[in-house]
Amino acid sequence: MRGLKVLPSGRPGRGRLYVNLPDGQAVAWYDRQANRISVLADDHREAVLAALRPYLSGAVSIGPPPVPTAADLRRLALPPDADLAPNRPGETLLGELTHAPAGTRARHRMRQELTAQQRMGDAFDALEPDGWRVLHCVPLPGFGHIDHLLIGPAGIFCVRTVPGRRQRAVVGDLLLTVGRTEPRPDPRWTRRAAAAAGRTLSATVTPALALPDAARIDVAPTLRDIHVLHPPTAAPHLTNAPTALHPPDIEALFTLARDTRTWLRPFTS
């Protein structure tokens, strides 16, 4: 059948590919992570396969859409304005930068923070094929925002990102120092934020600090509860960690965490 259109959804290279009729009605989708084609209209099956053929790789399973799980049903009922999954790394900073006066120190600082969050966000998003789910700019009343919330086989991680600025970073139990700047209380912040996130999700959340572009990172030997991540080693550090969560648990926690109301409800009820 002519006129079928293949349209991407989600993050480039990772989301589904939808096959639509000329009037926009979806007749199938291809889940690239599961390598499965779900056909909604069986009379278009051959045309769907022809349209998707350039995008397929390996052994592809074909059939009707799988029966939705409880997590799927909660996700489908989620209002678009309550869904955190589309957030880009540094989402809140992007808004603040539009109002910051040009040439000011505050704007330069926000630009550095945005670049750092975007770099770490790209590194974390690349973990999705390994079974990880990632949220950016998660609102946490009393703490502002969690820069990145990672949910995957190794558990849940609350990540605070700090620009390394190509300088030496020293991470202690309570303070973080980058170059010759004043020490920052980031270790304390991420420790407390992870504890608050754990109470909200009713799960163990591990605090973490990410230091993109740091020339060198020195970690105090007494610091054992906070993971310190750097772009070149962040992926191996997380993917090689012992398994703590299985796929159904990851999806259920991700469905819960992507809902803005999950984070606001305990503070507004």
Side-chain angles (χ1 to χ4, degrees):
M1 176 181 180
R2 294 185 179 181
L4 290 183
K5 295 181 180 179
V6 179
L7 300 174
S9 175
R11 295 190 180 98
R14 301 190 184 93
R16 290 176 173 176
L17 291 176
Y18 281 88
V19 182
N20 293 353
L21 294 173
D23 63 2
Q25 178 185 352
V27 291
W29 71 76
Y30 171 43
D31 187 328
R32 285 180 280 200
Q33 291 190 28
N35 215 18
R36 173 185 172 82
I37 299 174
S38 295
V39 180
L40 300 172
D42 200 57
D43 53 331
H44 294 303
R45 182 186 181 101
E46 294 305 319
V48 164
L49 294 179
L52 286 173
R53 191 165 291 119
Y55 307 95
L56 305 179
S57 62
V60 179
S61 59
I62 306 169
V67 176
T69 63
D72 291 331
L73 294 175
R74 288 194 297 270
R75 174 180 54 79
L76 293 170
L78 184 63
D81 59 353
D83 191 357
L84 296 171
N87 277 6
R88 297 162 293 177
E91 185 83 20
T92 55
L93 288 170
L94 286 167
E96 293 174 10
L97 271 168
T98 62
H99 302 290
T104 61
R105 182 174 296 180
R107 185 180 180 87
H108 178 68
R109 175 183 54 79
M110 283 190 286
R111 179 68 64 182
Q112 286 184 324
E113 292 179 358
L114 175 61
T115 300
Q117 290 190 33
Q118 288 174 334
R119 184 173 182 196
M120 288 310 307
D122 289 343
F124 294 143
D125 288 342
L127 294 171
E128 289 189 354
D130 296 315
W132 289 81
R133 298 292 177 262
V134 185
L135 294 170
H136 308 289
C137 296
V138 177
L140 189 64
F143 295 88
H145 288 79
I146 298 172
D147 295 335
H148 317 281
L149 187 75
L150 313 182
I151 306 173
I156 309 174
F157 294 81
C158 166
V159 184
R160 173 83 153 186
T161 297
V162 180
R165 301 202 307 269
R166 299 181 182 177
Q167 300 184 47
R168 174 176 175 250
V170 180
V171 187
D173 290 288
L174 302 177
L175 298 172
L176 163 66
T177 305
V178 177
R180 296 183 179 181
T181 61
E182 288 293 320
R184 304 166 40 130
D186 297 285
R188 284 182 288 179
W189 186 96
T190 193
R191 191 180 282 119
R192 293 171 55 231
R199 291 192 294 271
T200 300
L201 298 175
S202 299
T204 300
V205 178
T206 301
L209 287 170
L211 292 155
D213 298 319
R216 172 182 166 187
I217 302 175
D218 293 333
V219 181
T222 53
L223 185 68
R224 295 172 183 158
D225 62 327
I226 297 176
H227 288 240
V228 179
L229 306 174
H230 194 241
T233 59
H237 179 92
L238 294 168
T239 56
N240 294 333
T243 299
L245 295 174
H246 296 288
D249 304 313
I250 294 170
E251 293 303 324
L253 285 164
F254 178 64
T255 299
L256 179 65
R258 70 188 294 177
D259 189 342
T260 304
R261 298 167 297 182
T262 295
W263 304 96
L264 302 182
R265 187 179 296 115
F267 299 88
T268 58
S269 59

